[in-house]
């Protein structure tokens, strides 16, 4: 009683106390209470207590449902029947509500049925028990119908802590009980006020897709009841759900597909088709229209393969879907978008026509079908264009509505791409061009004229750019001639700039494309000067043009430099942000790549100059001033240099530039090594220089590595590790660098191993762990002959064993991949020669590593990491065979039988045994996934398993 009163007081505080702190404390107490074994009895008592208020009833019904789902194993076996009877009484008590409580009690009974086999349930299993209860107590039928509705939905509810074997058995029990369930529902159809509830329950059973014969369903009273409701004045949501499920049912069968379900399809389709006139009925409310549109969309999605044949009957469905697509509400029209995409895939993929026989027949049939659907996709293009038009009140609507509008535009762009794949890029372009011309007629020179239709047409033209031929000569020249005549309204100008960028390949390849470039670049310059959005679009377009037309632009370098300098110095009218200016950096770098070597060096110096001059000026102010600078003042220049070194593909010129710049870089390394942001940006510039110059870097690479090796010991910046990672990739196999790299590896790894001595270190510095083990994996791949014999290899393995269970995703994955790479060493170049050294380190630690990996599999890491852990465990097994199996047997034997049965243990070990024999990994995943699921099925079991395996408490084996 005392605990019951405390629960009531806590609920009262949670819902009614004015102090937030008190409410949070009450919430925490209630959550902790729900995990106790006392929660069973307290929740049950309060639910049976007539004086409990609604808040108490809802909380206790949720608690009881959660306890049955997750903690059923806490109860002794003899508690099942009293619990079942109590829940049955509660179902009857709350047959008139509150609905939330009734639903939670129903879910608790359904969860109980998942846990308890039908034979142990008694009375022929739950469904038979339910039928008998309904016959004995017809006044409580609403509650029993609620239970019948939720029951099939719980089949795949993984919140229920049932073992996989029991879940499979429950699925079979449901399948065998389906006739009884449908008979119960049919009997309840006679009670008019329960019809909605009956149909909802029927829809729920249909979702199981069990093998109810289609011939039975085509004349089943439940199906006929749902179909007759479609024609009633008020369209029933439940009947729509039933018909929707029936449509999916006919398409989801394994025995012969849609063609074997024709009897049922012939009943459904005419009924749904009869609803088509209602799509335009002004008396119908939006919810009814949405329900009808959903049925047409479901038919399209389910029968798309039949529709793709282009028969007269299927075209009736296509015309109905075009009707839906024309609806002014986007939420309704967009229901069809998935159908148009799937239809396009079937019509254009060769695999769809293999049954036609030879190549000639395939091509003939493909041409015929594309012709049949041509007019439908032409109509579709015309129907969707207006949806991308800016609303008149766009600048007054909320940020969320503006985001929704952008999402609408992306969805329409995808539909236009589908249309272009059916019609061809050029025919689609012609339709859109006519819309553009029409839009421009509304578009005067002043900014207040209606620019929106022209912008919408241009947005659509941009969307299909990848599907228009680069040498299209009829429409594209006219479009490019129209662009300079458009007003410079900011949103329109932004789309104009993006369209120019989208057709950069056409500007390069077309016979008269280059003649348009000067005026188009003038438009981009105007875009850079108008507003931030148009400037961002113009900078991106500039990058596309320089990338695709770079050979033609080599002669215009002076003009391009002028635009570049105005943007990066930031003193002109341009509104290009520092981030968007990187597009201009990349643009000029791509053009420089096309220059002859001697000209490229000078151009490279010129493009670096604005950043170099600013950096030199900061250095000249002395170390104290340099140390106090805001990181952004430095990183903006290093980001630009990083992009220059990445995109100027002249290794010698870049090597020459980095050699000249090294004194500046060194000065900043020496003064700002404490500053992570500056170091990351500087290291990125160095990494890109290394990647482009490769072995031409000469002495500079030595100075660079010496610098970061010295600074890493003091400042532990992770970016020093990823810069070293790039060096290892390029120089790792070079014998002349071996001594130098060996010293680098040992220095970096020994410092890191000292930093990461306990799991808390990994949690507080996951970035270091991530980059350290990425570097280690690179060493295994590119220089195993240096890495494995080094003194740091054993300590790095020990370090990995400590940190594998870190919860940080990237750091954890890097450690697991490193461990897998060790086990897969024989796949690496030169790896075979290091196997004996590897084994001398791994075998003594094998039992511990295996135990940690099994602990990760069974709950120490989130289930999202399961695939990576599984791979590591199977790689270990493949590498060490019978030894690994012995290690695995030893550690799974530690897990108590209350958590894992002998059969589950055996299946898991058999999967590992198969892996050791070289079996395909794909076939071994299920038993490994299942032991993971079993050990995570609830908090108590997970704690038992982790308490037995103790991954964080294991003693690391010291190896002399």
């Amino acid at each position: 009683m005392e605990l019951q009163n405390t629960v009531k007081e806590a609920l009262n505080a949670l819902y009614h106390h004015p102090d937030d702190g008190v409410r949070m404390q009450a919430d925490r107490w209630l959550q902790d209470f729900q995990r106790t074994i006392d929660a069973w009895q307290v929740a049950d008592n309060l639910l049976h207590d007539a004086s409990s208020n609604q808040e108490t009833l809802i909380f206790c019904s949720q608690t009881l449902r959660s306890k049955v789902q997750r903690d059923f194993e806490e109860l002794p076996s003899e508690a099942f029947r009293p619990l079942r009877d109590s829940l049955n009484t509660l179902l009857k008590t709350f047959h008139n509500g509150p609905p939330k409580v009734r639903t939670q009690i129903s879910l608790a009974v359904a969860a109980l049925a998942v846990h308890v086999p039908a034979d142990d349930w008694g009375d022929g299993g739950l469904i038979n028990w339910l039928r008998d209860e309904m016959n004995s107590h017809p006044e409580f039928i609403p509650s029993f119908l609620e239970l019948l509705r939720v029951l099939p939905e719980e089949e795949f509810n993984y919140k229920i802590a049932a073992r996989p074997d029991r879940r499979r058995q429950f699925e079979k029990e449901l399948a065998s009980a389906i006739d009884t369930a449908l008979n119960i529902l049919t009997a309840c159809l006679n009670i008019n006020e329960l019809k909605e509830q009956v149909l909802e329950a029927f829809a729920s059973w249909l979702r199981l897709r069990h093998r109810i014969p289609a011939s039975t369903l085509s004349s089943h009273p439940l199906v006929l009841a749902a179909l007759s409701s479609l024609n009633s004045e008020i369209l029933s949501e439940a009947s729509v759900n039933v018909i929707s499920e029936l449509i999916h049912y006919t398409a989801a069968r394994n025995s012969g597909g849609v063609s074997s379900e024709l009897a049922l399809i012939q009943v459904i389709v005419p009924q749904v088709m009869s609803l088509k006139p209602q799509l335009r009925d002004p008396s119908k409310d939006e919810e009814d229209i949405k329900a009808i549109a959903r049925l047409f969309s479901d038919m399209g999605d389910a029968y798309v393969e039949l529709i793709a044949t282009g028969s007269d009957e299927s075209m009736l469905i296509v015309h109905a879907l075009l009707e839906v697509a024309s609806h002014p509400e986007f939420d309704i029209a967009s229901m069809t978008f998935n159908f148009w995409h799937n239809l396009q895939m079937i019509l254009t993929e060769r695999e769809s026509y293999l049954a036609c026989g030879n190549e000639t027949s395939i091509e003939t049939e493909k041409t015929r079908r594309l012709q049949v659907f041509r007019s439908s996709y032409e109509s579709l293009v015309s129907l969707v264009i207006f949806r991308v038009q800016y609303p008149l009140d766009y600048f007054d609507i909320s940020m969320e509505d503006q985001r929704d509008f952008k999402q609408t535009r992306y969805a329409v762009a995808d539909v236009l791409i589908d249309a272009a794949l059916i019609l061809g890029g050029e025919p689609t372009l012609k339709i859109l061009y006519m819309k553009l011309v029409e839009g421009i007629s509304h578009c005067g020179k002043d900014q207040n004229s209606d620019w929106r239709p022209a912008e919408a047409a241009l947005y659509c033209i941009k969307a299909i750019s990848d599907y228009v031929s680069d040498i299209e000569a009829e429409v594209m020249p006219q479009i490019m001639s129209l662009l300079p005549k458009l007003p410079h309204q900011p949103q329109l100008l932004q789309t104009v700039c993006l369209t120019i960028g989208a057709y950069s390949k056409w500007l390069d390849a077309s016979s008269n494309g280059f003649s348009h470039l000067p005026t188009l670049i003038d438009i981009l310059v105007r875009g850079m000067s108008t507003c931030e959005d148009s400037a961002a679009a113009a900078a991106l377009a500039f990058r596309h043009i320089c990338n695709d037309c770079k050979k033609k632009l080599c002669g215009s370098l002076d003009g391009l430099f002028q635009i570049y300098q105005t943007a990066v110095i930031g003193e002109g009218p341009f509104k290009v942000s520092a981030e968007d200016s990187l597009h201009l950096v990349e643009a000029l770098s791509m053009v420089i790549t096309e220059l002859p070597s001697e000209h490229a060096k000078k151009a490279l110096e010129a493009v670096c100059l604005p950043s170099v001059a600013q950096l030199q000026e900061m250095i000249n102010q002395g170390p104290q001033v340099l140390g106090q600078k805001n990181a952004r003042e430095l990183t903006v220049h290093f980001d630009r240099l990083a992009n220059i070194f990445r995109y100027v593909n002249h290794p010698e010129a870049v090597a020459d530039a980095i050699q000249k710049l090294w004194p500046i870089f060194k000065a900043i390394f020496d003064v700002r090594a404490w500053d992570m942001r500056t170091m990351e940006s500087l290291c990125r510039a160095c990494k890109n220089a290394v990647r482009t110059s490769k072995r031409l870097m000469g002495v500079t690479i030595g100075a660079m590595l010496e610098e970061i090796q010295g600074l890493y010991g003091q400042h532990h910046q992770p970016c020093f590790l990823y810069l070293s990672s790039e060096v290892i990739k390029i120089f790792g196999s070079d014998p002349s660098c071996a001594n130098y790299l060996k010293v680098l590896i040992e220095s970096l790894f020994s410092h890191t191993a000292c930093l990461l001595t306990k799991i808390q270190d990994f949690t507080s510095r996951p970035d270091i762990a991530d980059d350290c083990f990425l570097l280690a994996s690179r060493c295994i791949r590119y220089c195993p002959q240096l890495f494995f014999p080094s003194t740091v290899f054993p300590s790095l393995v020990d370090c990995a064993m400590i940190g594998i269970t870190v919860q940080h995703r990237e750091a954890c994955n890097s450690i697991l991949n490193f461990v897998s790479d060790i086990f897969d060493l024989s796949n690496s170049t030169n790896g075979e020669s290091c196997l004996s050294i590897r084994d001398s380190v791994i075998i003594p630690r094998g039992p511990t590593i295996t135990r940690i990996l099994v602990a990760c599999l069974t709950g120490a890491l989130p289930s999202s990491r399961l695939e990576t852990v599984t791979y590591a465990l199977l790689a270990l097994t493949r590498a060490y065979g019978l030894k690994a199996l012995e290690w695995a047997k030893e550690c799974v034997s530690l897990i108590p039988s209350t958590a894992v049965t002998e059969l589950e243990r055996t299946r898991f070990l058999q999967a590992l045994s198969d892996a050791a024999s070289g079996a395909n990994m794909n076939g071994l995943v299920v038993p490994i996934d299942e032991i993971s699921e079993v050990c995570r099925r609830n908090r108590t079991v997970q704690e038992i398993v982790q308490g037995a395996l103790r991954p964080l408490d294991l003693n690391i084996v010291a190896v002399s």
Side-chain angles (χ1 to χ4, degrees):
M1 281 301 296
E2 189 180 335
L3 198 48
Q4 286 173 209
N5 290 331
T6 310
V7 168
K8 288 180 181 178
E9 288 165 15
L11 284 165
N12 190 50
L14 176 66
Y15 287 106
H16 304 293
H17 202 284
D19 186 333
D20 284 351
V22 172
R23 287 205 301 273
M24 283 176 67
Q25 192 177 352
D27 189 37
R28 275 196 300 273
W29 186 88
L30 287 165
Q31 285 183 40
D32 291 340
F33 161 75
Q34 284 180 310
R35 288 195 281 271
T36 65
I37 197 157
D38 291 327
W40 286 100
Q41 193 64 59
V42 170
D44 188 62
N45 289 350
L46 287 171
L47 284 166
H48 286 281
D49 184 347
S51 67
S52 293
N53 63 17
Q54 186 156 326
E55 289 159 358
T56 304
L57 293 175
I58 289 171
F59 171 78
C60 290
S61 62
Q62 288 173 338
T63 301
L64 202 52
R65 182 263 305 153
S66 174
K67 295 298 283 182
V68 177
Q69 284 181 340
R70 308 297 298 165
D71 302 323
F72 180 65
E73 290 179 24
E74 287 179 346
L75 299 176
S77 58
E78 62 270 18
F80 157 65
R81 230 164 250 285
L83 175 61
R84 185 195 79 172
D85 295 342
S86 175
L87 289 170
N88 183 21
T89 303
L90 291 170
L91 266 182
K92 294 170 184 173
T93 303
F94 295 110
H95 75 282
N96 281 327
K100 283 184 180 175
V101 175
R102 193 172 72 189
T103 299
Q104 294 300 312
I105 302 298
S106 297
L107 288 168
V109 179
L112 194 60
V114 178
H115 286 297
V116 178
D119 292 346
D120 295 348
W121 187 280
D123 306 314
L126 170 63
I127 303 294
N128 288 331
W129 170 81
L130 190 57
R131 180 196 59 204
D132 296 344
E133 286 289 324
M134 290 171 93
N135 287 334
S136 307
H137 305 282
E139 68 274 26
F140 301 129
I141 283 177
S143 269
F144 293 127
L145 280 177
E146 176 90 356
L147 172 56
L148 204 55
R149 178 184 67 80
V150 301
L151 192 61
E153 293 170 4
E154 297 304 283
E155 179 182 352
F156 299 110
N157 180 358
Y158 286 89
K159 286 180 181 173
I160 300 173
R163 297 170 185 275
D165 277 345
R166 173 59 203 143
R167 200 180 293 283
R168 284 189 285 268
Q169 190 184 346
F170 177 67
E171 187 182 346
K172 288 175 184 170
E173 288 169 7
L174 282 184
S176 64
I178 198 161
D179 284 343
T180 309
L182 296 191
N183 289 339
I184 293 170
L185 292 174
T186 304
C188 293
L189 264 182
N190 300 322
I191 309 168
N192 205 40
E193 59 269 26
L194 295 181
K195 187 175 179 183
E196 187 91 358
Q197 214 182 339
V198 167
L199 290 177
E200 284 293 0
F202 179 41
S204 183
W205 280 87
L206 285 170
R207 282 185 201 110
L208 291 178
R209 310 274 187 266
H210 281 308
R211 297 185 180 278
I212 319 165
S215 54
T216 303
L217 281 178
S218 61
S219 56
H220 200 286
L222 289 164
V223 173
L224 299 177
L227 288 169
S228 65
S229 297
L230 289 181
N231 301 316
S232 63
E233 194 62 38
I234 300 165
L235 191 64
S236 154
E237 186 183 346
S239 62
V240 170
N241 288 340
V242 169
I243 305 304
S244 175
E245 290 303 329
L246 284 168
I247 289 167
H248 291 299
Y249 165 90
T250 57
R253 303 279 286 179
N254 297 325
S255 55
V258 169
S259 56
S260 66
E261 306 299 330
L262 283 176
L264 184 53
I265 292 171
Q266 284 164 355
V267 171
I268 297 168
V269 173
Q271 289 281 0
V272 177
M273 290 302 294
S274 70
L275 301 174
K276 185 184 170 188
Q278 296 184 36
L279 288 168
R280 289 188 179 273
D281 185 346
S283 67
K284 285 285 179 187
D285 68 20
E286 193 176 309
E287 287 307 308
D288 277 353
I289 301 293
K290 198 174 277 189
I292 295 167
R294 175 186 156 199
L295 291 178
F296 279 117
S297 301
D298 285 343
M299 277 203 316
D301 290 340
Y303 307 143
V304 64
E305 289 182 17
L306 278 179
I307 292 168
T309 60
S311 66
D312 292 344
E313 295 87 349
S314 66
M315 294 312 291
L316 295 174
I317 299 177
V318 173
H319 295 145
L321 288 164
L322 280 171
E323 191 90 43
V324 176
S326 70
H327 194 276
E329 283 297 322
F330 180 74
D331 285 350
I332 292 174
S334 61
M335 289 179 182
T336 67
F337 287 4
N338 192 53
F339 164 75
W340 300 115
H341 174 69
N342 290 336
L343 180 60
Q344 174 271 119
M345 296 276 284
I346 293 171
L347 292 174
T348 55
E349 285 182 356
R350 187 175 178 279
E351 287 73 19
S352 310
Y353 302 95
L354 293 179
C356 296
N358 60 36
E359 287 300 318
T360 307
S361 302
I362 286 173
E363 281 307 309
T364 304
E365 178 60 11
K366 185 175 180 182
T367 304
R368 182 193 73 79
R369 290 195 191 182
L370 289 173
Q371 192 59 41
V372 167
F373 289 98
R374 190 167 196 81
S375 62
S376 300
Y377 276 92
E378 285 171 349
S379 300
L380 185 65
V381 172
S382 299
L383 286 173
V384 297
I385 293 174
F386 81 93
R387 299 190 187 280
V388 303
Q389 192 166 301
Y390 273 91
L392 278 168
D393 60 347
Y394 179 75
F395 302 105
D396 300 323
I397 63 179
S398 67
M399 291 292 287
E400 187 179 350
D401 285 341
Q402 288 187 7
R403 277 196 299 273
D404 287 346
F405 174 64
K406 284 183 179 174
Q407 291 302 319
T408 296
R409 281 165 71 103
Y410 297 148
V412 169
D414 288 340
V415 173
L416 289 168
I417 288 168
D418 289 325
L421 286 163
I422 297 294
L423 304 172
E426 287 75 11
T428 312
L429 182 67
K430 282 182 184 175
I431 299 171
L432 299 175
Y433 170 65
M434 297 309 293
K435 293 289 182 182
L436 176 63
V437 172
E438 189 183 317
I440 289 173
S441 68
H442 301 292
C443 199
K445 274 289 182 186
D446 65 291
Q447 292 211 6
N448 296 321
S449 62
D450 194 359
W451 51 271
R452 299 173 310 121
E455 189 281 336
L458 265 185
Y459 176 86
C460 295
I461 287 168
K462 175 188 77 71
I464 62 160
S465 59
D466 288 345
Y467 304 91
V468 175
S469 165
D470 293 343
I471 54 171
E472 199 280 335
E474 186 182 345
V475 177
M476 280 310 303
Q478 296 181 67
I479 292 173
M480 291 301 174
S481 300
L482 287 173
L483 297 184
K485 298 171 186 172
L486 294 171
H488 296 136
Q489 193 280 338
Q491 277 67 40
L492 176 56
L493 183 56
Q494 181 184 356
T495 303
V496 168
C497 291
L498 290 171
T499 305
I500 291 169
Y503 285 92
S504 55
K505 286 184 170 62
W506 181 87
L507 290 166
D508 180 55
S510 174
S511 56
N512 58 1
F514 192 69
S515 63
H516 292 283
L517 265 181
T519 52
L520 297 180
I521 287 175
D522 287 344
I523 295 174
L524 298 184
V525 170
R526 173 63 71 111
M528 289 182 210
S529 314
T530 301
C531 67
E532 283 188 15
D533 286 343
S534 65
L540 181 62
F542 196 77
R543 181 196 183 281
H544 285 309
I545 284 177
C546 287
N547 182 32
D548 291 319
C549 308
K550 49 186 176 275
K551 285 185 168 66
K552 293 178 178 175
L553 288 171
C554 286
S556 311
L557 212 51
D558 290 345
L560 300 180
F561 258 116
Q562 195 175 345
I563 296 169
Y564 168 76
Q565 286 183 303
T566 307
V568 298
I569 294 170
E571 292 172 359
F574 285 3
K575 293 179 169 58
V576 183
S577 68
E579 189 179 344
D580 291 320
S581 72
L582 293 177
H583 291 312
L584 301 175
V585 174
E586 293 166 21
L588 213 54
S589 301
M590 290 163 175
V591 177
I592 291 170
T593 294
E594 294 303 311
L595 296 174
S597 190
E598 62 277 9
H599 294 163
K601 280 192 180 182
K602 288 180 185 175
L604 181 59
E605 281 182 27
V607 83
C608 292
L609 188 59
S611 291
V612 171
Q614 296 263 4
L615 290 168
Q616 188 64 64
E617 190 181 319
M618 286 186 253
I619 291 167
N620 292 344
Q621 291 171 352
Q624 191 171 355
V625 176
L626 180 62
Q628 291 170 348
K629 291 279 182 190
N630 184 294
R632 186 67 186 140
E633 292 180 65
L634 294 148
T635 59
V636 67
H637 300 299
F638 288 126
D639 289 346
R640 285 172 185 161
L641 291 170
N643 277 30
I644 292 166
F645 296 152
R646 180 180 175 184
Y647 289 101
V648 174
N649 193 11
H650 274 285
E652 205 172 326
V654 171
D656 193 43
I658 197 79
Q659 189 174 351
K660 289 175 183 171
L661 286 173
W662 177 245
I664 293 176
F665 284 18
K666 186 178 187 314
I668 292 165
F669 268 125
D670 289 343
V671 175
R672 303 274 305 197
W674 51 271
D675 172 17
M676 182 179 280
R677 282 185 63 198
T678 302
M679 288 301 102
E680 282 182 347
S681 191
L682 177 51
C683 283
R684 195 177 302 114
C686 291
K687 181 186 82 170
N688 286 348
V690 171
R691 192 176 277 174
T692 300
S693 303
K694 296 190 168 59
R695 301 189 182 189
L696 294 174
M697 277 193 76
V699 293
T700 317
I701 191 72
M704 192 183 289
L705 293 179
E706 197 174 321
E707 183 76 12
I708 62 169
Q709 188 177 316
L711 291 173
Y712 183 70
Q714 299 170 267
H715 299 285
H716 313 129
Q717 297 287 11
C719 54
F720 295 161
L721 297 170
Y722 83 61
L723 175 54
S724 304
S725 192
E726 192 62 38
V727 172
I728 291 292
K729 182 178 176 183
I730 290 163
F731 295 94
S733 59
D734 187 342
S736 66
C737 302
N739 291 336
Y740 202 97
L741 292 179
K742 191 170 185 296
V743 172
L744 175 75
I745 288 169
E746 295 199 348
S747 169
L748 295 178
F749 286 139
S750 58
H751 278 300
T752 307
C754 293
L755 290 173
L756 304 173
T757 59
K758 53 189 183 298
I759 190 66
Q760 290 81 355
D761 299 331
F762 285 82
T763 303
S764 61
R765 291 302 306 269
D767 46 358
I768 283 191
D770 183 20
D771 285 315
C772 165
F773 287 100
L774 282 172
L775 173 61
S777 281
R778 278 249 164 117
C779 290
I780 293 173
R781 282 194 286 277
Y782 293 101
C783 55
Q785 73 283 1
L786 302 180
F787 178 64
F788 283 96
S790 70
T791 55
V792 293
F793 173 54
S795 57
L796 206 57
V797 172
D798 291 342
C799 187
M801 289 163 70
I802 295 165
I804 282 183
T805 55
V806 67
Q807 298 302 296
H808 187 274
R809 188 177 67 239
E810 283 81 10
C812 176
N813 281 337
S814 294
I815 296 168
L816 284 167
N817 288 333
F818 162 70
V819 169
S820 299
D821 288 340
I822 293 173
F823 304 147
D824 288 338
L825 178 59
S826 55
N827 299 338
S828 294
T829 313
N830 302 325
E832 293 280 353
S833 60
C834 304
L835 287 174
S836 59
I837 301 172
R838 176 200 71 174
D839 293 348
S840 68
V841 172
I842 296 298
I843 289 173
R845 295 166 173 79
T848 309
I849 293 173
T850 308
R851 192 159 147 191
I852 293 169
L853 287 173
V854 171
C856 290
L857 192 72
T858 54
L861 287 176
S863 52
S864 58
R865 225 74 41 87
L866 202 56
E867 190 179 338
T868 319
V869 175
T870 300
Y871 183 85
L873 191 59
L874 292 176
L876 170 73
T877 310
R878 281 195 300 265
Y880 291 102
L882 292 175
K883 279 193 186 73
L885 282 174
E886 286 305 313
W887 300 334
K889 275 181 195 169
E890 192 180 318
C891 70
V892 293
S893 69
L894 299 170
I895 303 173
S897 55
T898 52
V900 176
T901 65
E902 199 53 48
L903 179 61
E904 288 156 348
R905 236 186 289 266
T906 304
R907 281 181 187 159
F908 170 67
L909 292 170
Q910 184 58 49
L912 295 187
S913 175
D914 292 343
S917 308
N920 187 296
M921 180 176 161
N922 294 336
L924 312 176
V925 171
V926 171
I928 294 174
D929 282 355
E930 287 193 354
I931 201 168
S932 175
E933 185 191 331
V934 161
C935 293
R936 296 168 191 264
R937 65 186 184 272
N938 61 37
R939 185 191 295 257
T940 306
V941 171
Q942 194 162 332
E943 285 171 358
I944 289 169
V945 174
Q946 294 304 304
L949 296 174
R950 295 178 298 104
L952 293 176
D953 304 335
L954 296 174
N955 296 316
I956 305 302
V957 179
V959 179
S960 56

